[in-house]
Amino acid sequence: MSARSALPVIAVAAAVAVLAGCSSTKSDGQKGSGGLELVSSGTLKTCTHLPYAPFQVKKDGKVVGFDVDLVDLVAKDLGVKQEIVNTPFEGIETGQDFTIRKCDLAAAGMTITPERDKVMDFSDPYFNATQALLTKKGKPFKKVEDLKGKKLGYQKATTGGIFAKKHGKGVELVEFEDLGLLLTAVKSGQVDAGINDNGVLFDYVKQNPDTTVTAEFNTGEHYGVGVRTGNDALRKKINAAIKKAKSDGSYDRIYKKWFGTTPQS
């Protein structure tokens, strides 16, 4: 921003006014025990970015998936209904969607990273993930470096993109707005390979046998549910629901429903 005018000062003042309005107790938020406040009374709003099967995907006009079922457990404990808000992933991972009170939490197959942890708070990890490489069947690519001089697709604002940029010297990187566009690009030959989280890629090849996952990279990632920074009341509720689900078998049941197997210990 330029320092040649008073516009930055005005912008800051306006931003403070907007934030003050968002945090007002006169909003339609609902406060419960422990200081828990929801954006809309009786509703737990979840930001996500579609499609990201099997975590969140629209089927027969309804958003379903592993993350949806998991957050439904939180909503049940709170005595409210979950409402899915489909929004660009960039707004989620930068924390902007929490700042403007678009949602109460974000469940978007989102890896916990130090950068994201600066703009939101995370629940305890609920899913182990790693990066993987998707190609058409018969392609020889086993690692990013094998794609030198070729095209590698990645999804915008994801850890897969970070990995590709770090290891893709000499590789032509192609950015896509969402996972659906990335997968289509691999299948149609628009790119030679695509990188994304292993869970979604293995799910894709089940329905698209002309594609295959040729490699997994041990990035040691963990998904977390994001909440607005300082929203400890909701974060604790989410943690309690995850812990309960893992102890009473609900987590394993949901996992098997969407992945066809129980999670590895």
Side-chain angles (χ1 to χ4, degrees), residues 20-30 37-41 101:
C22 286
S23 61
S24 171
T25 57
K26 294 181 180 180
S27 69
D28 63 349
Q30 166 185 293
E37 183 177 354
L38 301 178
V39 171
S40 297
S41 179
R101 301 296 195 269

Side-chain angles (χ1 to χ4, degrees), residues 57-64:
V57 64
K58 199 166 189 177
K59 289 186 177 180
D60 301 322
K62 183 180 180 182
V63 180
V64 297

Side-chain angles (χ1 to χ4, degrees), residues 120-215:
M120 71 184 81
D121 288 341
F122 280 101
S123 70
D124 294 335
Y126 70 89
F127 191 91
N128 297 329
T130 191
Q131 294 304 306
L133 201 64
L134 178 76
T135 71
K136 294 276 284 184
K137 267 195 172 173
K139 298 293 183 179
F141 312 119
K142 300 293 184 182
K143 53 186 184 292
V144 173
E145 290 83 355
D146 290 343
L147 287 153
K148 188 173 182 179
K150 304 291 185 180
K151 293 181 178 180
L152 173 64
Y154 68 91
Q155 183 182 350
K156 183 179 181 180
T158 62
T159 50
I162 294 172
F163 189 90
K165 292 170 185 176
K166 182 177 180 181
H167 297 276
K169 185 176 180 180
V171 178
E172 184 180 346
L173 301 179
V174 183
E175 182 178 274
F176 294 91
E177 183 66 30
D178 61 45
L179 177 66
L181 293 173
L182 169 61
L183 297 176
T184 298
V186 175
K187 188 175 175 67
S188 66
Q190 183 181 343
V191 295
D192 298 282
I195 188 169
N196 209 288
D197 294 0
N198 56 348
V200 294
L201 297 188
F202 279 117
D203 182 75
Y204 181 74
V205 300
K206 289 178 185 176
Q207 307 299 325
N208 295 271
D210 57 333
T211 63
T212 185
V213 174
T214 59

